[in-house]
Structures are given as structure tokens and as C-alpha cells.
Amino acid sequence: MTDKVQELVSKCLQARDMAYCPYSRFPVGAAILTADGAIISGCNVENASYGLTVCAERTAIQRAVVEGHKQFTAIAVTCDIKDRFVGPCGACRQVLMEFGSDWTVYLIKPDGSYKKTSLNELLPLAFSSADVMKKN
Ligand code: THU
């Protein structure tokens, strides 16, 4: 694991510890690596009106955009499940796709071990901005 990936994993695990999830008690952490080497993290933020909950991945994306980043190379995602690797929900996959299909996705277990995959693999034949803008 490179130092940068190690840092991404650490930031993702730290973000999970900040989750606001009194309803599900299912904390999730995410950390995004930007093209210029910055790391922006996020956690899930739930709401008493359950449908207003925002996932960790989307919290991280929104933070990143506010901070001026729109080019991303990788995201790490973690939760408390120890015995298998857990992927981002479908809605988050689509939101990540907004910023390109060429992302590395690291699925992180609580002990820091990881499985490396890609957004293309997680969301094949995706609908994207190219379709809306009618580009080839
Ligand atoms: N959650 C995420 O933060 N990311 C995902 O990709 C899946 C689900 C959150 C939403 C909710 O707060 C909790 O996990 C249980 O669904």
C-alpha cells in the first residue's frame, strides 16, 4: 500500500468515527483522493425525517466541490462490518459517476484491510453527463 492510500484509509476510518447515525447505528466513513493529492472525507449524516439522510460518500463529494475540487482519482469507503467488503449504495455510485467513471474505489474493513475495485466495475453501462449532453 502506498503512503497516499494508507492516508486515504486512515482518513476514511477517522471519518466513520464522526458519523451521525442515531437511527441506523450504522456509521459509514468515506475519503476522496483528488487529482491534486488532497484528501476530503465525509460521514453519513442522518435525520429524524429518515429520507433526508446523506450518505458518507455524498457528504465527502459535496465538501470536496465546495473546497474547489472536481477531479478525483480514488475513494475509500468503510463501515463497521468486519467479515466482508461493503460497497457504496447505488445512489452514491451514480453521484460519483457525475465526476467521471475512472475512479479507483477502495472498500475498507474496520481493521484497515481493503479490496480495490473501480467505479466502472461497480456501475457498468452507467447513465452520465455525456448522455444528457448528447455527446459520443
Ligand atoms: N450509508 C452510507 O453512508 N453510504 C452508503 O453507501 C450506504 C449507506 C448510510 C446511510 C444510513 O445513514 C446508514 O448508512 C444505513 O443505511
Side-chain angles (χ1 to χ4, degrees), residues 53-109:
T53 290
V54 184
C55 290
E57 299 89 326
R58 280 180 281 158
T59 304
I61 282 280
Q62 292 182 6
R63 246 182 119 179
V65 171
V66 169
E67 291 180 21
H69 304 283
K70 290 188 190 65
Q71 290 187 302
F72 309 116
T73 59
I75 183 166
V77 185
T78 196
C79 63
D80 275 348
I81 294 175
K82 296 186 182 70
D83 61 353
R84 61 195 157 86
F85 294 103
V86 179
C89 79
C92 287
R93 293 177 197 202
Q94 181 66 33
V95 169
L96 298 177
M97 186 61 72
E98 182 64 23
F99 297 93
S101 59
D102 196 20
W103 294 59
T104 300
V105 180
Y106 295 98
L107 311 179
I108 316 293
K109 283 186 188 171

Side-chain angles (χ1 to χ4, degrees), residues 7-83:
E7 197 186 336
L8 196 65
V9 171
S10 303
K11 290 272 166 64
C12 170
L13 290 165
Q14 283 168 24
R16 183 202 56 191
D17 292 339
M18 304 309 291
Y20 176 73
C21 53
Y23 308 107
S24 71
R25 300 193 186 282
F26 189 89
V28 182
I32 292 173
L33 180 62
T34 71
D36 56 4
I39 293 178
I40 315 282
S41 63
C43 62
N44 49 334
V45 181
E46 297 187 343
N47 193 275
S49 177
Y50 297 168
L52 299 184
T53 290
V54 184
C55 290
E57 299 89 326
R58 280 180 281 158
T59 304
I61 282 280
Q62 292 182 6
R63 246 182 119 179
V65 171
V66 169
E67 291 180 21
H69 304 283
K70 290 188 190 65
Q71 290 187 302
F72 309 116
T73 59
I75 183 166
V77 185
T78 196
C79 63
D80 275 348
I81 294 175
K82 296 186 182 70
D83 61 353

